[in-house]
């Protein structure tokens, strides 16, 4: 999608909505708690599809589309046609009003150290043009699935959802770069995890090198399972074969893109004969040491 066609679609539908920052501020009162949750996700995770937003936050696709049309009209979000799947659904990013709510956002999926964009349109153009767009949507899907699951199970909660850039910054001393980090609780157990979303395009040796990067974190901080989420059984089998007998600093579990991440779809590399639920995976929040484990998870309900 060209910058010109995106700007054309993003042009507000009335002169008033194209007016000043003051007018956008006046629109803040129209935002619901659900709207604000969505904008917070778009600030941290860049982009979500119509289907993902509907699945996580709305009772139906129709109600999601209606509300998203309103958010687009008041400049809370930008939208553009998904070019990664060809199904013509919209993808959403922060609009000018969204940037007012979240003035400090992650600004470039390719270059974390890039200069801040001059506008929400420039930020969106960086996302549209990023070769990581499909990867971002795939990584975000796991967390969307988990969040949607919490709407069906009152005892399940997604307590932490960090993007790649958030997790990379938080664990900079360990020099890991997971595609996401989460903390999940269900059936009375709380499990942290790091996501490595695999589209089957990288050599297995490179995937295994990523796992070695977790050794430093395991020495001083959390010992969370690393989830290798892969596109098909053949890729999973090849990974498990490569991991057979190889000691890893963290527990490593494989799973498929099309299996629900909360359910019994995870295979530990040390026990490939059994598939486990996410909450059944081994997990250790690490020592209570603010110097070496500053982001140790503490459940707020325990205080």
């Amino acid at each position: 999608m060209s910058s010109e066609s995106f700007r054309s679609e993003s042009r507000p539908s009335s002169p008033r909505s194209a007016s000043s920052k003051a007018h956008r501020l006046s629109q803040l009162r129209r935002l619901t708690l659900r709207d604000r949750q969505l904008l917070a996700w778009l600030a941290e995770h860049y982009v979500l599809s119509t289907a993902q937003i509907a699945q996580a936050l709305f009772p139906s696709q129709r109600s999601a589309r209606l509300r998203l049309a309103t958010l687009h009209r008041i400049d809370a979000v930008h939208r553009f046609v998904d070019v990664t799947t060809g199904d013509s659904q919209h993808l959403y990013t922060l609009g000018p009003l969204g940037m007012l709510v979240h003035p400090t956002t992650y600004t470039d999926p390719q270059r974390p150290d890039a200069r801040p964009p001059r506008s929400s349109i420039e930020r969106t153009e960086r996302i549209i043009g990023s070769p990581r767009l499909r990867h971002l949507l795939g990584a975000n899907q796991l967390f969307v699935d988990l969040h949607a699951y919490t709407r069906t199970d009152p005892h399940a909660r997604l307590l932490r959802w960090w993007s790649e850039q958030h997790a990379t910054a938080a664990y900079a001393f360990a020099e890991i770069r997971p595609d996401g980090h989460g903390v999940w609780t269900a059936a009375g157990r709380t499990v942290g995890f790091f996501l490595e979303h695999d589209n089957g395009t990288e050599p297995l040796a490179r995937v295994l090198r990523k796992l070695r990067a977790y050794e430093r974190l395991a020495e001083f901080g959390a010992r969370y399972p690393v989830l290798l989420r892969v596109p098909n059984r053949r890729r999973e089998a090849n990974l498990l074969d490569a991991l057979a007998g190889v000691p890893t600093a963290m527990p490593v579990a494989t799973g498929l893109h099309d299996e629900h991440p909360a359910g019994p779809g995870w295979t530990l590399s040390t026990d490939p004969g059994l598939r486990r639920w996410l909450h059944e995976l081994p997990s250790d929040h690490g020592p209570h040491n603010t110097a070496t484990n500053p982001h140790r998870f503490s459940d707020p309900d325990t205080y």
Side-chain angles (χ1 to χ4, degrees):
M1 189 174 191
S2 69
S3 298
E4 287 73 18
S5 61
F6 168 67
R7 288 194 178 97
S8 176
E9 179 177 348
S10 299
R11 189 176 299 122
S13 57
S14 71
R16 183 177 180 185
S17 61
S19 63
S20 66
K21 178 178 177 180
H23 172 68
R24 291 194 179 115
L25 286 170
S26 74
Q27 298 286 353
L28 290 176
R29 68 182 183 275
R30 301 184 60 179
L31 297 177
T32 66
L33 290 177
R34 182 170 58 189
D35 296 337
R36 291 177 181 271
Q37 175 71 81
L38 172 59
L39 296 181
W41 286 351
L42 294 178
E44 168 125 354
H45 305 289
Y46 288 111
V47 61
L48 291 167
S49 69
T50 303
Q52 289 174 330
I53 294 166
Q55 180 187 355
L57 295 174
F58 288 86
S60 68
Q61 284 266 353
R62 182 176 183 275
S63 62
R65 287 195 297 268
L66 289 172
R67 187 59 189 167
L68 288 168
T70 297
L71 293 177
H72 180 246
R73 188 166 58 251
I74 67 174
D75 284 340
V77 298
H78 289 310
R79 69 184 183 191
F80 56 99
V81 175
D82 181 3
V83 296
T84 67
T85 63
D87 62 8
S88 299
Q89 73 168 329
H90 281 112
L91 303 182
Y92 290 85
T93 62
L94 282 184
L97 181 60
M99 294 282 278
L100 285 177
V101 178
H102 294 281
T104 302
T105 69
Y106 294 107
T107 59
D108 193 314
Q110 280 296 104
R111 298 176 297 130
D113 59 347
R115 63 164 180 78
R118 292 184 295 272
S119 67
S120 61
I121 288 181
E122 182 180 342
R123 180 179 185 267
T124 295
E125 288 174 340
R126 292 180 185 183
I127 297 168
I128 294 172
S130 172
R132 291 180 55 80
L133 178 58
R134 177 169 171 259
H135 191 88
L136 283 169
L137 289 166
N140 287 347
Q141 185 63 52
L142 176 139
F143 295 94
V144 166
D145 287 341
L146 291 177
H147 189 83
Y149 183 87
T150 66
R151 299 167 65 193
T152 67
D153 182 348
H155 304 293
R157 287 183 297 161
L158 181 59
L159 299 171
R160 182 185 281 178
W161 175 11
W162 287 359
S163 64
E164 174 187 334
Q165 290 184 8
H166 190 157
T168 299
Y171 296 105
F173 75 94
E175 298 182 342
I176 62 172
R177 295 187 62 87
D179 294 317
H181 162 53
V183 176
W184 174 248
T185 187
R189 291 198 73 241
T190 299
V191 174
F193 62 87
F194 296 107
L195 172 64
E196 293 289 348
H197 181 78
D198 179 85
N199 284 323
T201 57
E202 293 183 327
L204 292 182
R206 183 173 179 181
V207 177
L208 297 180
R209 283 198 297 273
K210 289 182 180 180
L211 297 179
R212 287 198 290 272
Y214 288 91
E215 292 178 0
R216 180 172 172 80
L217 177 61
E219 184 177 354
F220 299 107
R223 287 178 175 266
Y224 291 150
V226 180
L227 307 183
L228 298 177
R229 206 173 193 211
V230 300
N232 53 58
R233 294 280 186 199
R234 181 177 180 180
R235 178 72 165 180
E236 181 181 40
N238 289 339
L239 274 171
L240 289 172
D241 286 345
L243 288 165
V246 177
T248 56
M250 301 284 201
V252 177
T254 61
L256 302 182
H257 291 181
D258 59 3
E259 290 183 332
H260 199 288
W266 298 105
T267 300
L268 284 170
S269 62
T270 54
D271 187 10
L274 179 66
R275 298 188 84 82
R276 291 171 167 82
W277 290 69
L278 180 57
H279 67 262
E280 294 175 331
L281 297 178
S283 176
D284 181 354
H285 297 306
H288 290 271
N289 187 322
T290 56
T292 62
N293 196 16
H295 301 286
R296 188 184 192 279
F297 178 78
S298 295
D299 190 337
D301 287 349
T302 62
Y303 294 93

